[in-house]
Amino acid sequence: MRYSDDIIEEVRSRNDIVDVIGQYVHLQKKGAYYFGLCPFHNEKSGSFSVSGGNKQMFYCFGCGAGGSVITFLMKYDNLTFQEAVKQLADRAGIQLPDEDNSPAAKQMRDKKQVLLDINKEAAKYYYYQLRSPNGQKGMEYFRERKLSDETMQQFGLGYSNITSDDLVRHLRSKGYQDSQIIEAGLASHDEKFGTHDKFWNRVMFPIFDASQKVIGFGGRVMGDGKPKYLNSPETPIFDKSRNLFGLNLAKSSRAGYMILCEGYMDVIAMHQAGFNMAVASLGTAFTTGQAMILKRYTDEVILSYDSDEAGTKAALRGIGILKDTGIKGKVLDLRPHKDPDEFIKNEGKEAFEERIRNAESTFFFEVRIMQDRYDMSDPESKTEFYRELAKKLVEFEEAIERENYIEAVAARYNIPVEDLRSLVSSYAAKAGMVRPAQRPQSGIQKKSQPEDGAKKNQRLLLTWLTDEPAIFPKVTQWVTPEDFSDDLYRKVATEVFEGMAGSNFSPAAILDHFPDAEEHSLVAEMFNTNLVDIETREQRKKAFRDIIIGVRQAGYQRQKTLLKPDDPEFLTKTIQGKKELERLSHADISPDD
Ligand SMILES: [Zn+2]
């Protein structure tokens, strides 16, 4: 369903961006802007800005994320444009026109919505297959894993048949095209087999996003086929690095912490035993993006990885990511069992609760792993271990925390506390008490590209116009949208100039005309480029003059490139351009009267 521009504008104007974002991010007013910690990248200083008033935009000077109140919700809650509009309409009590379900309207719908619909339909199909005679093998598998009917229903578990194209046929019968089914990640196409199901002969685990929509699947093969686990590929609706299995349920848990485990079955077994705070990363290693999402719901994460070497490695990696994200981490010790599923089956719920209570701090976990490398019966090796221990203690930035750990470590490893303290002090002195180098973060970082001076002037002009529409008449004395050098800039400038001339200028509306994610953030940048500090009237005039001349120069360059050098017009234009720029250099260009 596409809503009209008028409706969208009403929704936007009745949801002030500062109020809406203020519900998710703690904002502080600084001058004309509000600032807070960016929810889209990990940072300690607030480079995330929100502008209310006429501008109605957010922009992060750290990672470049930017947009309107609608695109903020899309990004934050992983919603489609339509869903975000709907949510904001509800918030403001605006009645939206009814959804149209005719085939024609369906065609028009956002691509993402179609992919969501296909995944939902597939989940329903797999669900019924599991409960039909076809699904007997799958049902036996789940029964053997001791899953109750209620649990199977809660997780929407299903089964993909042994035939290789029945889902494709089913989806076709619902009116979907092969290309859409393939894009949804549920089918592949090749010469030999045509379009065929991606999943077959597998028990199916639908993957829900936080708002309970199916965005992909994991499938475990029945028997010994390869691969044992197969996941949906990344699609426009399925970003593995920003979703977690079980989060749709765990986000309502009141435990105060989350348990991060390795696999689908771990999460399901834990929920069945009443541990509804369990989530898992999706067939990939735990990512910074996932940690950022967990941070929205909790500040403590207990890692519950397999007790084997691979699990230990994964836990050590996870600890680093949690630290970088500012989440307090602990590690669950499941020995002698392999994983949570096996532990709960053998020891029961109470014993598992006990292990949660006794979960080890990440520091002691790391130390324990480190200790395995040393032979504690050899004095030299033992001394070396103590040295490493002291070096690790130096990493605590806060004196009190460091002191607490020194005492705890001394007690645990039977080292006189004074000796350990002086060893730590000597390493601290050597290190100059400098903070250990930060791990390179795998999160989103702003692409650093050599700054294009011409474009920067154009961005500065657009930002200035947005922040101070009163200068528009002064700008139009010198510049037209045709002066903007690249296509995207020209499109945006045209909309800005038209909007301002017609006095219905809404920068957020212009931004929302560019739905493509990459263009959207480029346009957001055009409206949010930092002017150097302007304090005096002279500085203001000089900045304005430099920008106007810079934009005009780029404009002449562009006009020249539209002509061939042997075109007589080329020479005329060149001479005109030179004269014009010469005239500009003497002209009185000012943003004020
Ligand atoms: Zn950011």
Side-chain angles (χ1 to χ4, degrees):
M1 175 84 201
R2 289 216 179 278
Y3 301 114
S4 70
D5 279 358
D6 289 347
I7 296 258
I8 294 172
E9 188 51 43
E10 193 188 346
V11 168
R12 228 180 347 243
S13 65
R14 288 186 36 199
N15 285 280
D16 186 78
I17 194 165
V18 177
D19 293 344
V20 173
I21 296 184
Q23 295 177 322
Y24 302 89
V25 179
H26 178 68
L27 295 173
Q28 276 182 308
K29 199 165 193 309
K30 274 186 206 160
Y33 298 91
Y34 289 80
F35 278 90
L37 293 177
C38 179
F40 305 118
H41 86 281
N42 183 35
E43 63 170 0
K44 291 202 170 78
S45 63
S47 33
F48 180 79
S49 72
V50 183
S51 328
N54 182 54
K55 198 164 169 180
Q56 295 294 313
M57 252 180 232
F58 72 94
Y59 186 74
C60 175
F61 292 99
C63 69
S68 67
V69 67
I70 300 171
T71 45
F72 176 82
L73 277 192
M74 287 169 69
K75 219 169 145 57
Y76 194 92
D77 277 339
N78 204 13
L79 304 177
T80 64
F81 189 85
Q82 277 71 18
E83 288 166 341
V85 169
K86 176 89 178 59
Q87 197 167 311
L88 290 168
D90 290 348
R91 183 179 179 275
I94 299 168
Q95 180 75 41
L96 290 172
D98 281 339
E99 200 161 310
D100 182 351
N101 261 326
S102 67
K106 219 172 184 174
Q107 283 272 315
M108 283 288 289
R109 236 182 264 172
D110 204 2
K111 178 162 79 180
K112 274 191 177 179
Q113 190 56 55
V114 173
L115 300 182
L116 286 169
D117 291 346
I118 292 177
N119 273 280
K120 186 174 172 188
E121 190 61 43
K124 275 201 308 209
Y125 183 76
Y126 292 143
Y127 184 90
Y128 288 114
Q129 293 309 311
L130 177 67
R131 288 146 184 90
S132 78
N134 288 338
Q136 204 189 337
K137 248 199 296 179
M139 194 53 98
E140 278 165 14
Y141 174 82
F142 285 135
R143 292 255 183 266
E144 206 172 297
R145 307 296 295 256
K146 304 270 186 299
L147 296 190
S148 68
D149 287 344
E150 196 193 348
T151 300
M152 283 190 246
Q153 192 198 336
Q154 188 185 24
F155 283 87
L157 302 183
Y159 177 71
S160 58
N161 290 333
I162 197 135
T163 46
S164 65
D165 68 342
D166 61 323
L167 177 72
V168 168
R169 280 187 281 122
H170 173 75
L171 291 172
R172 278 181 194 144
S173 79
K174 294 280 167 184
Y176 297 108
Q177 291 155 11
D178 285 17
S179 59
Q180 295 173 319
I181 303 170
I182 293 169
E183 191 165 18
L186 293 164
S188 317
H189 183 90
D190 60 39
E191 297 266 300
K192 201 169 157 200
F193 299 106
T195 304
H196 55 277
D197 290 358
K198 185 169 172 68
F199 298 98
W200 49 279
N201 191 31
R202 288 171 186 273
V203 288
M204 300 299 292
F205 302 90
I207 296 160
F208 295 88
D209 68 8
S211 50
Q212 204 65 30
K213 289 187 302 276
V214 181
I215 51 175
F217 293 89
R220 188 204 189 279
V221 76
M222 295 291 88
D224 295 324
K226 289 257 157 67
K228 190 169 162 191
Y229 279 94
L230 182 66
N231 292 304
S232 294
E234 300 251 327
T235 69
I237 55 167
F238 185 37
D239 177 352
K240 287 180 198 177
S241 69
R242 291 185 60 84
N243 282 286
L244 290 133
F245 183 73
L247 185 64
N248 55 316
L249 302 169
K251 70 171 188 175
S252 327
S253 163
R254 296 182 183 277
Y257 56 87
M258 294 255 188
I259 299 182
L260 179 68
C261 31
E262 277 189 43
Y264 305 125
M265 281 308 296
D266 293 331
V267 171
I268 296 174
M270 284 170 73
H271 279 255
Q272 178 164 289
F275 302 100
N276 65 352
M277 69 304 270
V279 296
S281 48
L282 294 162
T284 54
F286 182 52
T287 67
T288 307
Q290 289 169 333
M292 293 296 294
I293 286 171
L294 285 178
K295 204 181 171 184
R296 287 180 197 165
Y297 302 101
T298 186
D299 52 12
E300 183 178 323
V301 171
I302 301 180
L303 297 171
S304 169
Y305 284 161
D306 290 359
S307 325
D308 56 11
E309 204 188 318
T312 304
K313 258 198 185 147
L316 287 171
R317 227 189 127 263
I319 288 171
I321 291 173
L322 292 177
K323 268 186 203 159
D324 285 345
T325 319
I327 297 177
K328 187 176 160 205
K330 284 185 176 171
V331 183
L332 210 52
D333 186 351
L334 298 169
R335 289 174 300 176
H337 299 290
K338 185 174 175 291
D339 56 40
D341 186 19
E342 196 186 295
F343 186 97
I344 293 170
K345 279 204 186 83
N346 286 285
E347 312 274 338
K349 193 181 149 153
E350 283 73 27
F352 194 74
E353 259 165 15
E354 175 87 25
R355 292 288 174 108
I356 292 177
R357 269 197 302 278
N358 295 328
E360 206 167 20
S361 79
T362 54
F363 176 82
F364 279 116
F365 175 79
E366 288 177 301
V367 168
R368 185 158 57 79
I369 302 303
M370 194 170 87
Q371 190 188 355
D372 289 344
R373 295 202 304 265
Y374 298 92
D375 174 5
M376 299 301 274
S377 63
D378 170 32
E380 211 164 297
S381 179
K382 196 171 169 178
T383 311
E384 190 52 38
F385 169 65
Y386 290 159
R387 285 197 191 113
E388 288 304 312
L389 203 50
K391 277 187 206 161
K392 240 185 125 36
L393 283 161
V394 172
E395 285 174 25
F396 288 105
E397 285 171 41
E398 254 178 80
I400 294 184
E401 197 184 16
R402 191 167 57 241
E403 182 55 30
N404 287 341
Y405 271 99
I406 288 174
E407 282 171 17
V409 167
R412 183 178 289 207
Y413 291 95
N414 266 325
I415 314 170
V417 67
E418 282 311 318
D419 293 358
L420 185 60
R421 194 177 287 130
S422 71
L423 193 57
V424 172
S425 302
S426 77
Y427 279 113
K430 259 186 230 162
M433 253 345 267
V434 205
R435 285 177 52 188
Q438 284 241 327
R439 248 171 294 269
Q441 285 170 10
S442 41
I444 350 127
Q445 296 288 329
K446 187 166 175 138
K447 284 171 253 159
S448 62
Q449 48 201 15
E451 182 61 277
D452 174 340
K455 279 190 185 166
K456 174 143 194 201
N457 279 319
Q458 295 166 29
R459 280 204 302 278
L460 286 169
L461 185 57
L462 291 171
T463 301
W464 200 335
L465 271 171
T466 311
D467 288 348
E468 201 186 329
I471 65 164
F472 182 63
K474 299 289 177 188
V475 172
T476 49
Q477 284 179 11
W478 311 103
V479 169
T480 72
E482 285 302 303
D483 287 318
F484 287 75
S485 56
D486 100 1
D487 288 347
L488 186 64
Y489 277 70
R490 211 155 47 250
K491 264 194 231 165
V492 172
T494 305
E495 290 209 33
V496 169
F497 278 57
E498 277 172 6
M500 290 198 144
S503 75
N504 61 345
F505 176 58
S506 164
I510 293 174
L511 192 49
D512 283 337
H513 290 163
F514 298 88
D516 173 77
E518 197 177 325
E519 284 192 349
H520 195 81
S521 71
L522 285 173
V523 176
E525 194 186 2
M526 292 179 206
F527 292 134
N528 291 281
T529 298
N530 245 348
L531 277 167
V532 274
D533 291 331
I534 294 175
E535 277 155 17
T536 65
R537 209 176 156 80
E538 281 311 298
Q539 285 170 339
R540 180 175 156 84
K541 187 169 173 180
K542 179 174 185 313
F544 186 77
R545 183 187 166 81
D546 289 349
I547 291 169
I548 293 286
I549 292 178
V551 172
R552 277 304 284 273
Q553 263 168 348
Y556 286 121
Q557 284 304 328
R558 190 178 87 84
Q559 286 188 358
K560 261 166 58 178
T561 60
L562 295 176
L563 299 165
K564 291 203 175 82
D566 55 358
D567 189 323
E569 270 288 292
F570 183 84
L571 189 61
T572 318
K573 281 274 183 216
T574 309
I575 295 170
Q576 268 180 3
K578 277 212 170 110
K579 276 192 183 158
E580 184 67 20
L581 287 173
E582 172 69 16
R583 191 174 72 80
L584 273 180
S585 70
H586 301 297
D588 180 33
I589 305 173
S590 169
D592 307 295
D593 288 322

